[in-house]
Amino acid sequence: MNAKDIRLPAAQMTAFAAALLQAAGARPADAIAVAEHLTASSLAGHDSNGIDLLPAWLDQTDKKFVKLDSAERVLAETAIILRVDADGGWGPPAATKLIERAGAKAIEHGLAAATLGDVHDLGRIGAYGEQAAAAGLAAILFVNVTGQPPIVAPFHGSDARFGTDPICIAFTATPQRSAFVLDMATSRISLGRLKMAAARGQDIPSGSLINEHGMPTTDPSGMSGDPRKGALTPMGRHKGYGLALACELLGGVLSGGGTIQPEQPREGAVRNGLFAILINPALFGEAGWMEHEIEAMADYALGSPPMDWDSPVLYPGDPERALRGKRLRDGIPVDPELVAELNETAAARGLKLRLQPGT
């Protein structure tokens, strides 16, 4: 967050984004779903997957990289399997619908596996983990990224070969503990965080980036330009690299959307492949015992004395919940230059709506 950021109410941001997306040609229901997803991501503190994405998604729409009249097709369906082709349409409404449909199968049968291919940017993957957990389900989600040049180097590599390929694991809430939601990129930092650092003239953490010569650097300017120069590094060294490759195999191959290998087109679109496993814990054991075990394990982990008392041990999902409450109360911080850009875009598209702080 920047001291000069403008704070915007969530409801205003959603209404503005939905109107702008409709002006760009999105169907009303799609525009609302996408706008709500972006606002929710910003509320959770994932700004690079929030309203900051709106200009890029509008640009992708103008370039015909989002199919506005998409018609999803079910490629295969059994009692516990669902494979869907999104026909190049918006990510958030397609993924939300997939989790809902596959979740119904998991509730009935205990397990379900689902894939989503040929879909535009899914945005914040944690949103779908939260959706599953709210329905009483555990979830494991693997996502790959295609349509663009790679931006993450493999471990021991000196150039980019992967996207930021995120993974989300979620588990249901208990009476005393909110839902577990682990949402992470397989790169050490996200591209969005890098771009925000570059825009503000800030360095990024050491070990997060290599330059075009394969050497470590903390200067994000090369990777924020066009063309990008350098590569992000995988989180956890060989572990992040292995997980990124798993995302390509599970998210890319099983969804039918393909992997980031160079035979696939790289026209500049953002396309994702999603592989989801949904689990109904109620069919795996006695609810009371499970809830006690979850709460006891969480208490045990969080009870570790922190190395720094200003940074206690946290439960995955708690930082987002805390920030969501604060930003609902105080407003979502947005860079003034982004607000100006979005207001100019609205004027150019004939809209009277403008983003204004505190209204």
Side-chain angles (χ1 to χ4, degrees):
M1 188 177 70
N2 192 308
K4 296 181 180 179
D5 284 346
I6 295 171
R7 289 192 172 271
L8 299 173
Q12 180 198 155
M13 183 180 289
T14 301
F16 178 88
L20 204 48
L21 287 160
Q22 285 192 63
R27 292 173 293 210
D30 287 341
I32 292 169
V34 172
E36 289 177 344
H37 181 92
L38 292 174
T39 301
S41 297
S42 290
L43 282 171
H46 292 254
D47 299 297
S48 61
N49 275 320
I51 198 68
D52 288 21
L53 266 181
L54 184 55
W57 283 8
L58 291 170
D59 180 63
Q60 292 266 308
T61 304
D62 291 341
K63 291 177 178 175
K64 312 298 183 187
F65 291 152
V66 183
K67 189 174 180 181
L68 299 175
D69 61 348
S70 62
E72 296 175 12
R73 295 183 299 118
V74 175
L75 302 177
E77 185 169 13
T78 71
I80 61 170
I81 291 175
L82 178 63
R83 294 180 54 226
V84 175
D85 183 303
D87 193 31
W90 293 104
T96 299
K97 189 184 302 181
L98 183 89
I99 297 301
E100 181 179 346
R101 291 183 61 182
K105 295 178 183 293
I107 288 171
E108 181 177 0
H109 299 288
L111 285 170
T115 63
L116 185 65
D118 192 17
V119 65
H120 188 252
D121 196 341
L122 295 172
R124 177 181 168 245
I125 308 306
Y128 313 116
E130 290 171 348
Q131 178 189 351
L137 300 169
I140 307 172
L141 312 174
F142 296 87
V143 178
N144 80 320
V145 186
T146 62
Q148 297 189 323
I151 58 173
V152 181
F155 182 57
H156 285 164
S158 62
D159 67 353
R161 300 292 166 118
F162 294 96
T164 52
D165 294 3
I167 292 172
C168 176
I169 301 173
F171 208 95
T172 54
T174 71
Q176 301 299 323
R177 180 65 58 185
S178 297
F180 172 99
V181 183
L182 175 65
D183 177 20
M184 62 184 190
T186 50
S187 56
R188 184 164 178 178
I189 64 170
S190 69
L191 181 62
R193 181 180 171 189
L194 180 142
K195 287 182 175 180
M196 291 172 67
R200 294 169 178 173
Q202 300 169 344
D203 285 344
I204 60 171
S206 177
S208 302
L209 181 67
I210 57 176
N211 62 23
E212 65 268 36
H213 306 297
M215 301 301 293
T217 180
T218 59
D219 179 4
S221 59
M223 273 293 287
S224 65
D226 186 18
R228 297 189 181 108
K229 297 179 180 179
L232 298 171
T233 59
M235 67 94 177
R237 296 162 59 85
H238 62 286
K239 299 174 185 178
Y241 159 58
L243 288 172
L245 195 49
C247 285
E248 292 296 331
L249 300 178
L250 294 169
V253 175
L254 293 183
S255 72
T259 66
I260 202 169
Q261 56 91 2
E263 293 176 11
Q264 296 291 338
R266 295 176 179 173
E267 70 273 36
V270 180
R271 304 207 182 282
N272 286 149
L274 167 65
F275 173 66
I277 301 171
L278 300 174
I279 305 160
N280 182 1
L283 297 185
F284 282 80
E286 196 273 319
W289 179 86
M290 285 186 174
E291 289 172 354
H292 168 77
E293 198 67 17
I294 291 168
E295 292 171 4
M297 184 63 234
D299 291 344
Y300 180 58
L302 273 60
S304 176
M307 295 176 64
D308 178 352
W309 286 101
D310 291 327
S311 301
V313 180
L314 300 173
Y315 194 67
D318 280 350
E320 287 85 352
R321 281 182 283 268
L323 205 52
R324 187 178 293 120
K326 177 178 175 58
R327 290 186 171 189
L328 278 170
R329 183 188 71 234
D330 300 336
I332 297 170
V334 185
D335 188 281
E337 292 184 7
L338 176 60
V339 172
E341 178 186 355
L342 289 171
N343 283 337
E344 289 172 6
T345 302
R349 294 181 185 268
L351 294 177
K352 294 182 179 180
L353 280 177
R354 299 292 184 272
L355 290 172
Q356 299 177 8
T359 60

